[in-house]
Amino acid sequence: MISRFILYLVLLFIGFIIGARGFVNNKNKIVIQKLQYVSLLLLLLFMGIRIGMDEKVLNNLFSLGIKAFVLSSLSVIFSIIFVKLVKGFIYNSITKGESESEL
């Protein structure tokens, strides 16, 4: 398990280096985007197959759906609240800084 994680991190780092060094031109970006899209579709397909084969998941699909809905809803709600609080704090700091500079 840990070796897979290390492999993922190494591949991510290699991809980062390739992208950051500018080894990819515009033509290659289009190919990479298409490859990424197809890979994502295949990943979703295989995840669906694996979930469909798991009896525990199928037997508990309703309760898992409710838990997923509650978790995602709370995540969205608290994200909005947090952004509004931080936005208000930053806006007040900027406004206070501008009024002090006018003095």
Side-chain angles (χ1 to χ4, degrees):
M1 182 69 175
I2 194 79
S3 62
R4 283 187 184 176
F5 181 71
I6 292 171
L7 174 64
Y8 298 153
L9 287 178
V10 168
L11 291 174
L12 181 67
F13 184 71
I14 291 170
F16 174 77
I17 296 297
I18 291 171
R21 298 285 181 180
F23 294 129
V24 181
N25 58 24
N26 285 336
K27 184 179 177 184
N28 290 339
K29 283 183 184 179
I30 294 170
V31 173
I32 289 172
Q33 287 174 348
K34 289 180 182 179
L35 181 63
Q36 185 178 18
Y37 179 71
V38 170
S39 298
L40 177 63
L41 292 178
L42 287 173
L43 176 65
L44 291 172
L45 173 69
F46 290 128
M47 285 175 59
I49 291 171
R50 186 161 186 189
I51 290 171
M53 291 173 29
D54 192 346
E55 290 293 326
K56 284 184 180 179
V57 172
L58 292 177
N59 292 335
N60 297 316
L61 198 56
F62 183 73
S63 67
L64 289 172
I66 290 174
K67 289 176 185 177
F69 176 75
V70 169
L71 181 64
S72 62
S73 298
L74 290 176
S75 297
V76 169
I77 289 168
F78 283 107
S79 293
I80 291 170
I81 291 170
F82 181 73
V83 166
K84 291 219 178 250
L85 289 173
V86 170
K87 180 182 172 187
F89 177 73
I90 292 173
Y91 180 75
N92 289 338
S93 296
I94 291 172
T95 306
K96 185 178 178 183
E98 289 175 355
S99 64
E100 289 178 356
S101 66
E102 292 173 357
L103 296 175

